[in-house]
Amino acid sequence: MGVSIRRPLLPLLLFLFPLLYSVSVLHQRWNPEETKRLSPKKPDQVILGPAAGQGLPNRLQCQGTKAMNRIEPSPKNNHSEEEKVSFVTVFAIYKSDPMSEKMLDRVRVGDILYNSKSERSLAILNAYINFIQVSMPSSDVVVLTDNDSTFSLDRNNAIKFPIEGDYSRSNLMLQRIKSYIAYLKRILESSELEKANKNIIFSDSDIAVVDNLGDIFQKHPDFHIALTFRNNKNQPLNSGFIAVRGTRDGISKSKDFLEEVLDVYMSKYMGASRMLGDQLALYWVIKLHLPSAIQKFNRHESFAGKVKGVSVLFLPCAIYNWTPPEGAGQFHGMPLDVKIVHFKGSRKRLMLEAWNFYKSTFNVSNMLCLILCSGRTKYDF
């Protein structure tokens, strides 16, 4: 006996019709542009959260933006007694589509409104110089850039140093190593080398130096080149900070070391992401010539080793290349002896906020609490 299936369809259609009608009306009324306009705008300010590392020994303790256990670095009464250091960074401003610039939200930090990426990039470079001037007033800054760069540096302690090359975004990490090597060669050829005897720190320009780094050269008198390491299986070496002793031997051997890194980069890692090639090449050279170093990357202590006659010092990233977490509440917090804060990616905005806060308080410790407690802010910087 056949079973009729027509009778149950009527109640089903009566049930579905109102639902289908509502969806149709909603689709007609929905306007994606209007929805985008009504969506909440990202706050144009620093969002504070809980301080990471609360209660942990040797970590900065904060109540809001007030440091509870940080001791201010003692100022040097005689700047001539400081280690002479030249901070060297690679910097380029990229041309952008005027139409895309108009679509970007303007960013205000303190009393300053930044309307374009180029303005913000130059502001970050100036903040980099400002932090160095506060923490190490006897030091100078050398900005390696392309021959056609048009930005100006009206600073007493900073100069542009043009070096020919390809400074495009996709080639920047490769060019950075080439520029470092070219700069070291120029110094070796200079008749002023022996007289100057100035140590060198190659660094990214999105860092804040918050303590005197001259003690690296005083506490570790035997190294030629210093690298920073972290407990990261694939990229344990960070190329954003490289220290070179300013003697002829130190500069010459550091140049030789970087030339080998460059050769490895060009032969093995040209297909790597534009931000990874140099770090992968650094690791390959160390793994090849000094495999005993690898097992020490999970510790938090400095150590040294030899790479083809070059004395290499390894410094813990947590102190010499500390990066703010993407959001407040990271468990480990900020070491009390941190010397560099590295504002990567979307955190570059925070670097300008930190300098603006320092200008109003002149308190490094409280500024570090502002950095530590700042919540995640995503800006196209």
Side-chain angles (χ1 to χ4, degrees):
M1 182 176 176
V3 179
S4 174
I5 61 173
R6 294 180 180 178
R7 189 172 296 174
L9 286 177
L10 183 59
L12 180 62
L13 289 172
L14 291 174
F15 171 77
L16 290 177
F17 180 76
L19 179 62
L20 293 172
Y21 176 77
S22 299
V23 172
S24 176
V25 171
L26 179 62
H27 178 73
Q28 293 175 9
R29 293 179 179 177
W30 179 62
N31 185 336
E33 290 301 321
E34 183 176 348
T35 304
K36 186 177 181 180
R37 287 195 300 268
L38 293 175
S39 61
K41 187 180 183 296
K42 294 174 185 175
D44 194 17
Q45 60 187 8
V46 172
I47 303 170
L48 296 182
Q54 288 185 0
L56 293 178
N58 302 320
R59 291 295 184 269
L60 181 64
Q61 303 297 305
C62 303
Q63 287 186 357
T65 57
K66 182 175 177 58
M68 307 306 294
N69 63 336
R70 174 84 178 183
I71 299 175
E72 289 291 330
S74 57
K76 296 279 186 180
N77 293 325
N78 186 356
H79 292 162
S80 63
E81 295 178 1
E82 292 183 21
E83 265 321 297
K84 294 180 178 179
V85 176
S86 281
F87 285 85
V88 182
T89 190
V90 171
F91 180 81
I93 292 181
Y94 302 104
K95 294 179 180 179
S96 56
D97 181 4
M99 295 301 295
S100 64
E101 286 283 7
K102 290 180 181 178
M103 289 187 290
L104 288 173
D105 290 337
R106 295 192 235 178
V107 175
R108 180 179 294 278
V109 178
D111 296 330
I112 302 176
L113 181 66
Y114 300 101
N115 294 300
S116 66
K117 284 187 177 181
S118 58
E119 284 184 15
R120 299 194 292 268
S121 296
L122 198 54
I124 288 169
L125 178 64
N126 276 289
Y128 164 76
I129 298 170
N130 291 338
F131 279 116
I132 292 171
Q133 195 167 34
V134 167
S135 300
M136 300 181 66
S138 293
S139 296
D140 55 17
V141 178
V142 179
V143 181
L144 308 181
T145 188
D146 61 288
N147 290 323
D148 298 327
S149 64
T150 58
F151 68 90
S152 60
L153 286 178
D154 187 17
R155 308 294 298 266
N156 292 330
N157 63 331
I159 61 167
K160 286 170 59 176
F161 196 103
I163 291 178
E164 186 177 356
D166 177 5
Y167 290 79
S168 61
R169 287 184 186 275
S170 60
N171 196 64
L172 189 59
M173 294 301 101
L174 180 64
Q175 181 59 47
R176 181 167 71 172
I177 296 181
K178 291 181 177 180
S179 295
Y180 288 172
I181 293 169
Y183 180 73
L184 294 177
K185 286 181 177 178
R186 296 274 190 93
I187 294 177
L188 287 172
E189 295 167 358
S190 171
S191 59
E192 298 295 313
L193 171 62
E194 302 299 339
K195 187 190 300 182
N197 195 25
K198 188 174 290 187
N199 297 312
I200 300 165
I201 292 178
F202 293 115
S203 75
D204 292 336
S205 59
D206 53 356
I207 68 166
V209 177
V210 295
D211 203 351
N212 185 8
L213 291 166
D215 64 349
I216 296 174
F217 302 94
Q218 295 173 350
K219 291 180 180 179
H220 309 279
D222 299 324
F223 76 90
H224 297 122
I225 190 169
L227 308 172
T228 54
F229 69 90
R230 58 198 169 194
N231 188 18
N232 183 311
K233 184 178 180 181
N234 297 318
Q235 298 176 64
L237 295 173
N238 191 319
S239 59
F241 177 92
I242 299 174
V244 173
R245 188 170 300 281
T247 61
R248 179 169 291 277
D249 193 42
I251 293 173
S252 177
K253 291 190 174 181
S254 295
K255 177 187 71 68
D256 294 342
F257 176 85
L258 291 177
E259 284 177 336
E260 180 166 2
V261 173
L262 177 61
D263 289 342
V264 171
Y265 192 149
M266 297 183 70
S267 63
K268 294 181 177 295
Y269 297 112
M270 288 299 289
S273 170
R274 69 187 188 204
M275 302 304 290
L276 301 180
D278 57 339
Q279 296 186 156
L280 294 174
L282 267 175
Y283 183 37
W284 194 93
V285 170
I286 295 301
K287 186 167 57 173
L288 176 66
H289 298 295
L290 193 63
S292 61
I294 298 172
Q295 58 190 337
K296 300 178 183 179
F297 289 154
N298 61 351
R299 304 174 189 174
H300 299 284
E301 300 174 352
S302 303
F303 65 96
K306 290 271 189 178
V307 175
K308 296 176 67 175
V310 180
S311 179
V312 182
L313 173 67
F314 297 90
L315 301 166
C317 254
I319 298 172
Y320 295 98
N321 222 328
W322 187 86
T323 303
E326 284 282 3
Q330 184 171 317
F331 180 72
H332 296 297
M334 182 185 289
L336 274 176
D337 50 355
V338 66
K339 293 184 180 294
I340 289 178
V341 179
H342 193 173
F343 300 90
K344 293 182 178 179
S346 63
R347 305 299 273 162
K348 288 184 173 67
R349 156 71 181 270
L350 182 57
M351 182 175 178
L352 298 182
E353 297 282 5
W355 174 251
N356 184 65
F357 182 81
Y358 175 79
K359 284 195 304 179
S360 65
T361 63
F362 297 100
N363 189 303
V364 172
S365 300
N366 292 347
M367 181 196 69
L368 292 176
C369 280
L370 174 79
I371 295 170
L372 180 62
C373 295
S374 65
R376 183 175 184 175
T377 51
K378 275 285 186 183
Y379 288 93
D380 187 4
F381 236 73

